[in-house]
Amino acid sequence: MKNKYFTGLITVFVAIIVCITILNLANSSSKKNYYFERAFVKNDFLKFSKTISKLNDKSDFLMNVNSDSLLVEKELLENVNSTVFYKLYLSDLNFEKKNSKDVDLPSNADMKLCTNNSLFYIQKFKLYNYNLISKNRKEINLENFKIVSLLPLKDSNNKFISFGELLKNEVYYTGFFIIDTKFSTVDLLKTLSESKESNVISASLQYSGSFSYNSDNGLLAYFCNKYSKIYFFSSQTGSYKKVLTTKEDVPLPKILKNNKGDSFYARGTTRNTNMGFFLKNGNVFVFSARSPLESEILVDIYSSDSFKYEKSIKFFYKNFDSKSIEIVMLKDNKIVMGFSTDYAVFNLL
């Protein structure tokens, strides 16, 4: 009788251990992927309107350049004696006003921003302005500043919000800045990290992302695509406002260096997060890559006042998921989304 009692007790004990182990494994797997339980609602927000072909039909994939108000694609023409020749294809968000520009840049130049008349590119963390009409170029002298990305402030021809690194009083400040290309000044807006050594390459990988005007309330934002943060600023002055931490809560990826000094993401620590966003009618809509969905696009919706997560929607477009999104741009009640193969236009309901 006692043997039966102890056998039953051991069986129950083993069953409890097995259950705990399974739950821990499930939680560990979920945490590893940084998924969370979403409250899905009916998609009463976005309605598909039409598909539009890429501007550059000679390329198999969409090769876009960031812009303040345009759709811009690039085509590599040739590389001759350390000079690279490109053709830029430009269009308004209605796909009506289209034109193209030929540009030539140094082979190690990185196009960062295209406006109506200028192409801004970065070479060894220095900023250059290439005039699309005259084809003249000039370096923007920003002393002790290494620039990573930028976007012009609204109604300004020479003031930009920027992500980069400033050396001041023997300290390297990584974060967001206002740069004035006319007076060559750099003013700190928000510090993300401080160091006694330059950290700009690691920071540019950790805080990889884009500036965007996709807002209807006078804000602009920088959304990180490998870290669960979206930073909001005034689109007129650039002043820092607040930060949204998306519910997946993906941490900063770890960066390693090899013997040559090259920086790269540590394996197993990097996750795609925010692939785009827009702010409309009191809600922040975030296109999230942190989902097991493989053939639907996922949007998480947050309150623009409290930044509290409220609900999620998902919808179908050509078997793409959120990880397939290249760009998201807002124009009035229209959302233009760029994928590797084409553009999709959605109307806000």
Side-chain angles (χ1 to χ4, degrees):
M1 188 74 178
K2 288 183 177 179
N3 289 337
K4 289 184 178 180
Y5 174 76
F6 284 116
T7 300
L9 187 63
I10 290 171
T11 301
V12 171
F13 182 71
V14 171
I16 291 173
I17 291 177
V18 170
C19 289
I20 292 173
T21 302
I22 291 173
L23 287 173
N24 284 337
L25 287 172
N27 288 335
S28 175
S29 174
S30 175
K31 187 63 178 176
K32 180 180 179 181
N33 290 314
Y34 296 97
Y35 297 156
F36 69 95
E37 187 174 346
R38 289 177 162 90
F40 282 103
V41 298
K42 182 181 178 182
N43 179 18
D44 290 329
F45 299 90
L46 290 169
K47 181 180 179 181
F48 173 73
S49 174
K50 56 186 175 181
T51 296
I52 296 177
S53 300
K54 299 188 304 297
L55 305 173
N56 174 18
D57 57 9
K58 300 177 181 64
S59 172
D60 293 332
F61 301 102
L62 178 67
M63 301 292 289
N64 71 289
V65 179
N66 193 37
S67 178
D68 55 344
S69 59
L70 300 170
L71 296 171
V72 183
E73 298 174 25
K74 63 182 178 182
E75 177 191 0
L76 174 61
L77 299 178
E78 60 179 336
N79 191 336
V80 180
N81 297 328
S82 299
T83 299
V84 183
F85 295 86
Y86 295 93
K87 183 179 286 292
L88 297 183
Y89 299 83
L90 297 84
S91 171
D92 65 348
L93 296 184
N94 292 320
F95 296 90
E96 293 174 352
K97 298 178 181 178
K98 300 180 183 180
N99 60 70
S100 62
K101 302 286 185 181
D102 292 319
V103 301
D104 58 284
L105 302 177
S107 58
N108 59 350
D110 186 7
M111 299 185 202
K112 285 298 182 180
L113 175 70
C114 187
T115 63
N116 282 314
N117 297 320
S118 294
L119 174 67
F120 293 88
Y121 68 89
I122 294 173
Q123 187 178 9
K124 296 181 179 179
F125 297 109
K126 295 182 178 180
L127 180 63
Y128 294 83
N129 182 350
Y130 181 103
N131 189 293
L132 293 175
I133 299 173
S134 67
K135 297 192 177 183
N136 293 327
R137 74 197 72 202
K138 66 176 181 178
E139 179 184 347
I140 309 299
N141 182 26
L142 302 170
E143 188 175 359
N144 295 326
F145 185 63
K146 295 180 179 179
I147 187 168
V148 176
S149 57
L150 73 162
L151 189 74
L153 295 182
K154 286 287 188 183
D155 303 321
S156 177
N157 294 322
N158 54 285
K159 289 188 177 182
F160 296 75
I161 188 169
S162 172
F163 176 78
E165 179 187 83
L166 177 67
L167 173 60
K168 185 177 181 180
N169 298 328
E170 298 183 348
V171 177
Y172 291 90
Y173 296 90
T174 298
F176 299 101
F177 303 82
I178 291 294
I179 61 173
D180 190 318
T181 57
K182 182 178 179 180
F183 297 101
S184 296
T185 57
V186 181
D187 296 310
L188 179 62
L189 289 175
K190 178 174 177 57
T191 302
L192 297 177
S193 66
E194 300 178 20
S195 175
K196 287 295 185 180
E197 296 180 354
S198 179
N199 211 348
V200 66
I201 297 177
S202 295
S204 66
L205 293 174
Q206 288 183 306
Y207 293 95
S208 170
S210 298
F211 287 107
S212 173
Y213 280 133
N214 290 346
S215 169
D216 65 349
N217 67 347
L219 295 178
L220 64 84
Y222 183 90
F223 61 93
C224 301
N225 54 38
K226 292 177 176 59
Y227 180 39
S228 287
K229 301 288 185 182
I230 302 177
Y231 299 91
F232 288 87
F233 306 84
S234 165
S235 61
Q236 296 285 342
T237 66
S239 59
Y240 173 70
K241 297 298 183 181
K242 49 188 176 179
V243 60
L244 164 61
T245 301
T246 52
K247 196 164 174 62
E248 313 95 323
D249 202 20
V250 175
L252 278 175
K254 295 179 180 178
I255 307 300
L256 302 179
K257 288 186 178 181
N258 60 20
N259 294 332
K260 297 179 180 179
D262 300 322
S263 298
F264 53 92
Y265 293 110
R267 188 173 181 180
T269 71
T270 308
R271 301 286 184 272
N272 288 328
T273 54
N274 310 311
M275 306 307 292
F277 94 101
F278 64 92
L279 195 158
K280 188 76 174 177
N281 300 329
N283 291 309
V284 184
F285 297 78
V286 182
F287 294 84
S288 174
R290 298 276 23 100
S291 164
L293 297 176
E294 295 182 352
S295 59
E296 291 178 287
I297 296 168
L298 171 69
V299 185
D300 295 325
I301 303 172
Y302 299 80
S303 164
S304 63
D305 294 323
S306 65
F307 279 169
K308 181 181 178 181
Y309 168 78
E310 295 186 339
K311 53 205 167 190
S312 299
I313 60 173
K314 54 186 176 180
F315 56 92
F316 179 84
Y317 178 72
K318 291 189 175 182
N319 285 323
F320 285 125
D321 60 15
S322 294
K323 291 185 288 292
S324 305
I325 297 172
E326 299 288 338
I327 57 170
V328 177
M329 297 192 76
L330 170 70
K331 180 176 174 58
D332 300 324
N333 285 316
K334 180 171 66 179
I335 296 294
V336 178
M337 298 174 60
F339 296 90
S340 58
T341 56
D342 52 41
Y343 296 95
V345 181
F346 292 84
N347 292 325
L348 282 163
L349 300 177

